[in-house]
Amino acid sequence: MDMQVAKKKLGLKEKYQVMTRGLDWEPSYQKKEDIYPYASYEGIKIHDWDKWEDPFRLTMDAYWKYQAEKERKLYAIIDAYAQNNGHLNVTDARYINTVKLFLTGVSPLEYMAHRGFAHAGRAFPGAGPRVACLMQSLDEIRHAQTQIHALSNFNKHYNGLHDFRHMHDRVWYLSVPKSFFDDAVTAGPFEFMVAIGFSFEYVLTNLLFVPFVSGAAYNGDMGTMTFGFSAQSDEARHMTLGLEVIKFILEQDPDNLPIVQRWIDKWTWRGYRVLTLVAMMMDYMLPKRTMSWKEAWEVYFEENGGALFKDLARYGITMPRCAETIALEKDHLSHQAWGTFYNYGAAAAFHTWVPEKEEMDWLAAKYPQSFDKYYRPRLEFWREQAAKGNRFYNKTLPMLCQTCQIPMLFTEPGDPTKICYREVDYQGSKYHFCSDHCKEIFEHEPEKYVQSWLPVHQIYQGSCFPEGTDPSAEGFDPLAAVLQYYHLEFGRDNLDFEGSEDQKNFDLWRGQATKNG
Amino acid sequence: MSTVFIALQANEDTRPIIEAIAADNPQARINEAPAMVKIDAEGRLTVRRASIEDRIGRGFDLQELHINLISLSGNIDETDDELTLSWHA
Amino acid sequence: MAVAAIGKYEFEPADALEKFHGAQLLYIGWEDHLLFCAPFAFPFPPTMPFRAVVEEVLPGSFGYHPDFARIDWAQAEWFKSGQPWRPDFDKSLAENGLRHKDVIRFRTPGLRGIAGSCS
Ligand SMILES: [Fe+2]
Ligand SMILES: [Fe+2]
């Protein structure tokens, strides 16, 4: 690293004062309430915005300097990776499906985070959080851009990555991360900060990035590893912002506690449900595994999250109640999720497969309570059938949870043989949920969640066919029309990995790279 | 006492930083994972500018840590000389 | 409770009955057969006979499972919103009291999925 340490004129603390609050001013000809119209309607009471301080004391001048250095390092590696056909160094081509899921499911959320933090920063009357939100907003657009740049290299060679932005707004499983973030950005600025800044960034983001990025490193994907770590280097600052905001809000007024606790309960659960995708990625989609989902949950949530909530107990905050349900799900989550994608492998923009025998043995060792008893028989049956040319593709659309929008695949807490059904009657109509927690979230704000754009229902309403489609025409094939609407090419982007174009190309190219032609 | 941690990318920039942290925090445990190092410590962990400067032979601004930082947990306090992670409970 | 909002907050539910072109939604799950990852959602006309659902639709949705051919429908136990319920096969969905977005499930005694694993 080539960086000069400037001769300091001001210490860190003084510089922070000058470069944040020192740049703020009191309005003289407009009312504060008119300038900050969203600062009070959520019921959060703030008496002294100056009590908020960034413990890193990062100022914009230093921010630009370090971010520029990160970008230079990142793009040097991405270029080298592309020039050397780095994609051929991954363990096997199944790995690339994790990248597809990430680009279509997560990268668009980075862009939404950019918008969300820009909005929250604008809405807060305090200079400290405003500057921190500005930095995070810039970080997030950087994450979106670097991910798109890094992953575009894969798009040159593999299927399913060609129209990620279009897919994000339409494809059934992508409605899960999309609706999660839409829910957050349509809340007020304080709820957004608790939702994304605290619950997602502080409590859950380690579970997304650290295993994913470590997994990329372990599977030979240097490009993804590099953008992942580059994004993650901002994450420490984001986590800090999330934690400081919570502490600040709670210190400002005792009336804030119940509101904040409800948001933490809600958003820990909402975020955890989105991580269902990460759970299956870790246990099923990485050819070389780093740690199981269950282990990651134990380290990053139970251990670190446990320490966090113990620390917050002095404000009256308690561990979200959903943690008990999550503990009961950790032996089952990834298996149930992968089974779902295997079911609907004809409608996904990535490939699915049955794990190899050694992989099943790894799963059995990591999940001694559950894998052999409940999941191995299912997977082995599917493998036998596929070998007979009868690969299972579920063609009937599933029932979805009104809140998290995930198919109703989760089982009763404590009984992995029974689907968990919950329902509510609201204004003469029925609404269905995957869990007590999704049901409670709905019950608290039914006016919001009755608007859920549930992909299955939208298909049945006829909203998911290409423009000009006539569903009453002779021989109309609804599945084909829905895939066209998704921009998902049947036979290339979807179906089993076995026999896919990705598989054939990777074998061919790797052969050319390692042998004389 | 709860555990705090700091995770850094494993590279030539961070090698002396990790050494400095290990020397300054005898209670710290260094865990190596693919491409990263996670350092756990009971209750408290301190990163000292002077210890890093001793090892790299040049001036070091603690904010340079941001370039190679992956994650951390605990309440943070940063001054010109030290970055401290701690839990109150 | 209500949404905290800066103004009036009232929106149409996205899935009102009128939006389904004459059909109503019915969700159907098969207990102890989680090879099918989740219950199914179907748009059916309310005039459709229950027998048509069982004989013409369910084979296409659940027929992949080796247990399906072994079902004795006379023995099947039905539940509506989790409570025991008896459909009349010769009556329509509406006559059976099924409304938009109702959920029913059936249990097939003796059939417990692949190798008894509830798969
Ligand atoms: Fe981000
Ligand atoms: Fe849900």
Side-chain angles (χ1 to χ4, degrees):
Chain A
M1 196 177 354
D2 177 28
M3 225 171 315
Q4 296 296 314
V5 179
K7 229 187 159 91
K8 283 193 194 72
K9 295 186 181 75
L10 290 172
L12 198 56
K13 285 187 181 173
E14 296 80 18
K15 188 172 149 206
Y16 178 74
Q17 289 293 337
V18 172
M19 295 287 284
T20 54
R21 264 167 249 158
L23 297 175
D24 199 26
W25 67 90
E26 281 298 312
S28 56
Y29 58 90
Q30 289 284 351
K31 287 205 299 279
K32 261 207 146 158
E33 308 86 83
D34 294 339
I35 300 174
Y36 302 108
Y38 305 133
S40 61
Y41 80 89
E42 296 171 271
I44 293 291
K45 297 175 187 158
I46 304 294
H47 306 289
D48 181 3
W49 279 98
D50 284 348
K51 285 269 154 39
W52 196 90
E53 191 154 324
D54 170 12
F56 281 131
R57 303 194 172 89
L58 194 66
T59 52
M60 283 313 289
D61 56 329
Y63 173 82
W64 293 124
K65 186 171 89 179
Y66 295 121
Q67 295 305 97
E69 178 70 15
K70 289 180 190 176
E71 291 277 277
R72 274 193 294 275
K73 288 180 71 164
L74 171 62
Y75 280 95
I77 296 172
I78 291 177
D79 284 349
Y81 187 75
Q83 283 160 358
N84 289 298
N85 276 322
H87 65 96
L88 293 177
N89 293 329
V90 303
T91 36
D92 77 56
R94 290 181 305 168
Y95 165 79
I96 294 154
N97 294 289
T98 63
V99 170
K100 300 177 191 178
L101 188 55
F102 195 93
L103 180 69
T104 53
V106 178
S107 301
L109 302 190
E110 302 276 18
Y111 183 73
M112 287 308 289
H114 154 67
R115 294 179 58 184
F117 280 99
H119 175 69
R122 170 63 186 83
F124 287 138
R130 199 184 309 141
V131 169
C133 284
L134 169 65
M135 288 176 192
Q136 180 156 359
S137 177
L138 292 166
D139 292 338
E140 300 296 1
I141 200 164
R142 180 176 95 86
H143 298 174
Q145 289 170 343
T146 53
Q147 285 165 26
I148 293 162
H149 290 154
L151 298 181
S152 66
N153 283 319
F154 284 102
N155 181 45
K156 293 175 192 157
H157 307 287
Y158 303 98
N159 295 320
L161 296 134
H162 55 282
D163 218 348
F164 72 97
R165 193 62 198 73
H166 177 94
M167 288 182 181
H168 184 73
D169 290 338
R170 291 165 182 79
V171 176
W172 59 278
Y173 54 92
L174 299 176
S175 85
V176 175
K178 177 186 165 66
S179 62
F180 164 81
F181 228 96
D182 286 355
D183 190 355
V185 294
T186 50
F190 287 102
E191 183 175 350
F192 177 79
M193 285 305 299
V194 174
I196 304 302
F198 178 75
S199 299
F200 201 73
E201 296 279 359
Y202 204 98
V203 185
L204 300 171
T205 199
N206 278 321
L207 281 153
L208 173 63
F209 271 95
V210 179
F212 176 75
V213 175
S214 241
Y218 213 40
N219 285 279
D221 179 2
M222 204 171 59
T224 298
M225 178 196 87
T226 311
F227 87 63
F229 279 147
S230 191
Q232 192 66 32
S233 69
D234 300 338
E235 224 61 47
R237 186 155 30 75
H238 301 173
M239 292 167 62
T240 305
L241 173 61
L243 181 57
E244 291 306 310
V245 159
I246 286 275
K247 294 196 300 193
F248 168 70
I249 297 174
L250 293 168
E251 280 166 10
Q252 284 290 310
D253 198 294
D255 290 352
N256 294 338
L257 174 64
I259 305 177
V260 169
Q261 179 74 56
R262 188 177 65 74
W263 285 339
I264 293 176
D265 291 353
K266 169 182 172 182
W267 288 99
T268 302
W269 180 255
R270 295 282 277 125
Y272 163 73
R273 272 288 181 251
V274 174
L275 293 185
T276 301
L277 296 171
V278 179
M280 74 167 198
M281 186 199 84
M282 290 182 70
D283 286 343
Y284 284 86
M285 298 176 75
L286 293 177
K288 267 174 83 179
R289 286 132 168 98
T290 48
M291 62 186 349
S292 68
W293 160 257
K294 185 181 171 184
E295 288 165 332
W297 182 259
E298 287 167 353
V299 172
Y300 289 107
F301 186 85
E302 293 179 3
E303 207 176 292
N304 296 321
L308 166 69
F309 283 104
K310 228 166 88 191
D311 191 71
L312 291 174
R314 69 202 145 108
Y315 299 107
I317 289 289
T318 54
M319 179 65 111
R321 267 175 308 150
C322 63
E324 289 164 34
T325 310
I326 300 174
L328 293 170
E329 283 189 358
K330 69 187 176 189
D331 277 304
H332 306 282
L333 187 70
S334 63
H335 315 296
Q336 295 176 353
W338 185 245
T340 301
F341 279 94
Y342 190 85
N343 266 245
Y344 293 106
F350 60 90
H351 300 299
T352 48
W353 56 87
V354 173
E356 318 260 334
K357 183 171 177 312
E358 310 75 67
E359 293 173 319
M360 289 206 213
D361 293 342
W362 183 89
L363 289 165
K366 294 292 182 186
Y367 294 96
Q369 320 295 334
S370 62
F371 184 75
D372 283 343
K373 188 160 174 206
Y374 302 109
Y375 304 107
R376 192 192 281 267
R378 193 178 301 179
L379 291 163
E380 286 180 344
F381 176 77
W382 282 334
R383 184 165 58 197
E384 280 160 32
Q385 292 300 309
K388 290 185 208 156
N390 188 31
R391 202 285 194 191
F392 179 46
Y393 289 112
N394 192 336
K395 292 181 202 74
T396 311
L397 304 184
M399 177 182 184
L400 307 180
C401 171
Q402 185 77 23
T403 303
C404 68
Q405 310 201 2
I406 300 178
M408 296 267 296
L409 63 97
F410 305 101
T411 46
E412 279 290 347
D415 185 356
T417 68
K418 295 259 174 290
I419 295 286
C420 181
Y421 293 84
R422 298 290 182 271
E423 64 177 64
V424 162
D425 283 293
Y426 175 71
Q427 295 190 341
S429 206
K430 276 205 176 342
Y431 294 91
H432 299 273
F433 308 94
C434 72
S435 56
D436 291 325
H437 309 290
C438 278
K439 174 171 169 272
E440 279 165 26
I441 291 168
F442 176 92
E443 285 175 315
H444 201 87
E445 295 170 297
E447 313 90 326
K448 189 167 196 182
Y449 299 98
V450 297
Q451 302 169 68
S452 295
W453 194 92
L454 298 180
V456 168
H457 295 178
Q458 291 300 322
I459 290 170
Y460 288 147
Q461 288 181 26
S463 332
C464 301
F465 305 131
E467 222 171 307
T469 302
D470 174 11
S472 59
E474 186 88 30
F476 173 69
D477 178 348
L479 176 66
V482 169
L483 296 186
Q484 280 165 23
Y485 167 79
Y486 289 169
H487 291 183
L488 194 160
E489 201 181 323
F490 192 93
R492 287 185 94 179
D493 301 330
N494 62 351
L495 306 184
D496 206 283
F497 175 74
E498 198 57 45
S500 66
E501 197 174 69
D502 275 8
Q503 181 191 35
K504 286 181 206 138
N505 284 338
F506 184 82
D507 288 347
L508 178 73
W509 295 331
R510 173 114 96 186
Q512 287 168 349
T514 53
K515 292 184 222 38
N516 287 315
Chain B
M1 249 308 138
S2 303
T3 307
V4 296
F5 78 80
I6 188 166
L8 296 163
Q9 291 194 51
N11 59 31
E12 280 307 298
D13 290 341
T14 58
R15 201 166 44 78
I17 300 173
I18 294 160
E19 280 175 24
I21 295 172
D24 290 338
N25 300 273
Q27 83 284 21
R29 296 183 302 278
I30 314 283
N31 303 300
E32 296 188 18
M36 64 176 254
V37 175
K38 180 167 176 273
I39 307 169
D40 297 309
E42 292 312 303
R44 190 175 189 85
L45 187 93
T46 304
V47 185
R48 290 181 55 235
R49 180 173 59 87
S51 311
I52 297 169
E53 288 180 344
D54 284 349
R55 286 170 174 79
I56 62 177
R58 67 163 174 93
F60 184 80
D61 185 329
L62 278 177
Q63 294 194 327
E64 285 180 46
L65 268 179
H66 283 288
I67 294 170
N68 291 301
L69 195 55
I70 292 172
S71 183
L72 45 75
S73 77
N75 294 292
I76 293 159
D77 191 43
E78 183 165 346
T79 65
D80 292 298
D81 300 322
E82 286 188 351
L83 175 106
T84 306
L85 296 169
S86 65
W87 289 123
H88 298 290
Chain C
M1 290 300 289
V3 171
I6 48 173
K8 192 170 117 210
Y9 193 97
E10 269 176 32
F11 296 93
E12 281 279 287
D15 297 316
L17 178 61
E18 312 80 72
K19 301 196 175 173
F20 290 85
H21 313 285
Q24 64 181 36
L25 293 180
L26 180 64
Y27 306 109
I28 306 180
W30 183 9
E31 298 287 274
D32 308 329
H33 290 81
L34 301 189
L35 183 105
F36 305 100
C37 58
F40 292 130
F42 298 99
F44 291 138
T47 52
M48 186 166 177
F50 195 83
R51 181 177 300 286
V53 172
V54 174
E55 293 179 359
E56 286 157 37
V57 177
L58 297 192
S61 296
F62 289 114
Y64 184 86
H65 201 293
D67 278 354
F68 190 80
R70 298 183 204 129
I71 295 177
D72 173 1
W73 287 105
Q75 297 293 314
E77 298 163 6
W78 292 86
F79 306 86
K80 184 180 154 199
S81 287
Q83 300 304 311
W85 175 74
R86 288 184 83 86
D88 184 332
F89 276 45
D90 295 312
K91 287 190 169 154
S92 72
L93 300 183
E95 288 161 345
N96 269 295
L98 293 171
R99 302 283 170 262
H100 183 46
K101 294 171 76 183
D102 267 337
V103 59
I104 59 175
R105 340 174 199 170
F106 59 97
R107 236 190 108 240
T108 47
L111 301 177
R112 299 269 297 160
I114 308 297
S117 69
C118 292
S119 274

